[in-house]
Amino acid sequence: MSFRWSPQTSQNASAVGLGALLLASAMKHFRTPGFYNAVVPDYLCRIDAPENPGAVDHSGRTVNGPLAIMSREEWIAVSGLLEAALGAGLLIPATRKIAADASAAMFVAFLAGHIDALRRAYGPDGTHADRRIHTVRLPLQLPLILWAWSLRK
């Protein structure tokens, strides 16, 4: 009996691939959260979190921005949980379309963090290693966005 590779088989294999990638990334969020520190913009992190000194207003007081609702660690954990949920959603045919839509949106949202990390890497405190890592990480978002988008069918 021969095996025929159909478009549906390709679609399923692709969904399993991206689902597995998201599940592996989700695990990394909890095993080595420091890997994701640089891609969480400071403006998203509460000033009471030790790693974020916060912005200073005109009177010299530190203030939280409107998006600073969680600490850096909480953002990393929440994004790990989101990636796990979307990875699992891609593995289930009944939830694949909504998981693909949400995955594409998530990767688009992550662009802000990657752009901010790249900006800081090329700033006065950036290192050569930071520049190299973030120069590679940012463009990888486009294939991930396109991959997730392709699973919407």
Side-chain angles (χ1 to χ4, degrees):
M1 181 174 183
S2 67
F3 176 75
R4 304 201 111 213
W5 197 265
S6 70
Q8 185 61 40
T9 305
S10 294
Q11 185 79 353
N12 288 337
S14 183
V16 168
L18 184 56
L21 181 71
L22 284 170
L23 289 169
S25 178
M27 286 192 313
K28 188 168 181 69
H29 276 75
F30 297 101
R31 287 189 176 161
T32 53
F35 180 77
Y36 298 96
N37 279 344
V39 293
V40 180
D42 290 338
Y43 59 81
L44 289 179
C45 301
R46 285 192 324 259
I47 60 168
D48 60 334
E51 78 284 348
N52 187 35
V56 178
D57 69 6
H58 65 308
S59 65
R61 293 178 301 183
T62 55
V63 294
N64 280 321
L67 299 176
I69 57 175
M70 293 187 282
S71 70
R72 186 174 313 279
E73 290 82 10
E74 290 166 337
W75 279 110
I76 291 169
V78 166
S79 64
L81 290 172
L82 177 62
E83 286 186 0
L86 294 175
L90 288 170
L91 299 177
I92 302 167
T95 59
R96 186 167 296 153
K97 183 178 182 339
I98 190 77
D101 288 339
S103 296
M106 177 187 70
F107 290 134
V108 168
F110 285 176
L111 283 173
H114 288 288
I115 291 168
D116 189 63
L118 187 63
R119 179 191 57 80
R120 283 184 278 116
Y122 280 90
D125 296 329
T127 66
H128 179 70
D130 290 338
R131 290 182 192 104
R132 188 175 54 235
I133 289 165
H134 296 297
T135 299
V136 170
R137 271 176 111 169
L138 175 62
L140 287 176
Q141 293 304 296
L142 181 59
L144 290 171
I145 293 165
L146 295 174
W147 189 3
W149 192 256
S150 75
L151 297 174
R152 298 173 63 247
K153 301 175 183 123

